[in-house]
Amino acid sequence: MTDRRNAPISSRRKPKQARSSDLVAAILEAALQVLAKEGAQRFTTTRVAERAGVSVGSVYQYFPNKASILFRLQSDEWRQTSDMLGGILMDTAHPPLVRLRMLVHAFIRSECDEASMRLALSDAAPLYRDAPEALEVRASGERTVQAFMREALPDASEAARAMAGELITATFGAVGKQFSESPRTDAQIVAYADAMADMFCAYLQSLPPARPKAAAKPKPKPKPKPKAKAKAKAKSRPEAKPKPRPNAKAKAKSEAKTRRPSPA
């Protein structure tokens, strides 16, 4: 049985003609207006169709339900954020910490500019939070951050890089949302982004390099077994040279001396 929470919620069909693309754009624009006015709880496909000036059937040709409309709005916002994330963090023309500072400023500015829509979409998040498309978007962002951390922290351990990436990502989501909930001036946005960037940069610079792996100790030579030890000891002794055998003449002379009688 298919898990409804993990079922795809993408659009039913893709517009192929300019006329169809214009219809989808009108539906999405109307959806944004309904969402801003009514909120996620009162958001319905019928209200979207009325605002767009089309029939409900026309909406259902491209979006099977209201969750798919909301997810399309959210995925478009995610795509913009993902493009901004990758475009800034992967731009090797600037040093890593400069890129991180640029990202903080761009992200906080974006959060404040689109705060009302983000707030409404966050209320609808339970409708699509566990959808495969949502999981893939998050995974793509995580891969971008991990690649950046490998470049920014080449000497840190893999665990330290992973923790730094998770901490910065979580801080972006929580602090950015909280800060953007109230109207902010340009000066406030710049000051807040500067402070947040200073915090991130100081944190990354404070991470120690990974400890070098300890050199492997040489294995001790195995002690020889008793038999082997005896053989080795015997081999180490110099071989005894055989005594030269006396020749026949010397032997006869020696025997004659032994047989000579003693004097009376």
Side-chain angles (χ1 to χ4, degrees):
M1 184 175 178
T2 302
D3 188 346
R4 290 181 62 85
R5 294 176 303 171
N6 293 328
I9 54 175
S10 56
S11 303
R12 177 168 284 167
R13 54 184 282 197
K14 305 293 183 183
K16 297 181 179 180
Q17 300 178 354
R19 186 176 178 181
S20 299
S21 298
D22 291 342
L23 176 57
V24 170
I27 292 172
L28 293 174
E29 180 60 32
L32 281 172
Q33 296 174 10
V34 172
L35 187 63
K37 182 180 179 181
E38 306 290 347
Q41 300 302 321
R42 292 174 54 82
F43 183 93
T44 64
T45 306
T46 302
R47 285 192 172 94
V48 171
E50 291 174 352
R51 180 60 63 92
V54 299
S55 66
V56 175
S58 296
V59 176
Y60 282 139
Q61 286 182 355
Y62 300 99
F63 302 99
N65 46 46
K66 74 173 188 177
S68 67
I69 302 175
L70 290 169
F71 180 74
R72 172 60 184 274
L73 296 177
Q74 178 66 85
S75 62
D76 286 348
E77 190 273 328
W78 276 337
R79 191 176 300 109
Q80 293 172 3
T81 302
S82 179
D83 291 345
M84 176 180 66
L85 183 74
I88 295 176
L89 291 186
M90 298 295 101
D91 181 10
T92 55
H94 302 283
L97 295 186
V98 172
R99 280 177 263 161
L100 181 58
R101 184 173 294 276
M102 293 168 60
L103 177 64
V104 172
H105 277 266
F107 180 81
I108 295 298
R109 173 71 63 181
S110 174
E111 286 286 303
C112 292
D113 289 346
E114 302 175 6
S116 59
M117 189 191 76
R118 292 178 194 272
L119 183 61
L121 286 174
S122 67
D123 292 338
L127 296 173
Y128 48 73
R129 181 184 292 118
D130 297 322
E133 298 93 333
L135 298 178
E136 174 55 31
V137 168
R138 287 198 290 269
S140 176
E142 290 172 0
R143 288 192 293 269
T144 299
V145 172
Q146 289 169 3
F148 171 76
M149 287 301 164
R150 285 193 292 271
E151 183 184 358
L153 302 170
D155 298 326
S157 65
E158 191 65 32
R161 286 196 292 262
M163 184 176 67
E166 292 173 5
L167 188 149
I168 290 177
T169 302
T171 304
F172 267 136
V175 177
K177 179 178 181 295
Q178 182 182 10
F179 179 75
S180 63
E181 287 178 350
S182 302
R184 305 290 181 176
T185 65
D186 286 345
Q188 288 174 326
I189 293 174
V190 171
Y192 195 87
D194 275 336
M196 192 171 176
D198 289 343
M199 179 181 68
F200 285 158
C201 292
Y203 168 64
L204 295 185
Q205 290 174 323
S206 71
L207 293 177
R211 294 180 179 178
K213 293 182 179 180
K217 295 182 178 180
K219 293 182 179 180
K221 293 182 179 179
K223 294 182 179 180
K225 295 179 180 180
K227 290 183 178 179
K229 189 175 180 181
K231 284 184 178 180
K233 191 173 182 180
K235 286 183 179 180
S236 63
R237 292 176 181 172
E239 294 184 3
K241 294 182 180 180
K243 294 181 179 181
R245 300 176 67 179
N247 54 32
K249 188 176 181 180
K251 186 176 181 181
K253 189 176 181 180
S254 176
E255 288 177 355
K257 285 183 179 181
T258 55
R259 288 196 300 265
R260 185 179 298 171
S262 59

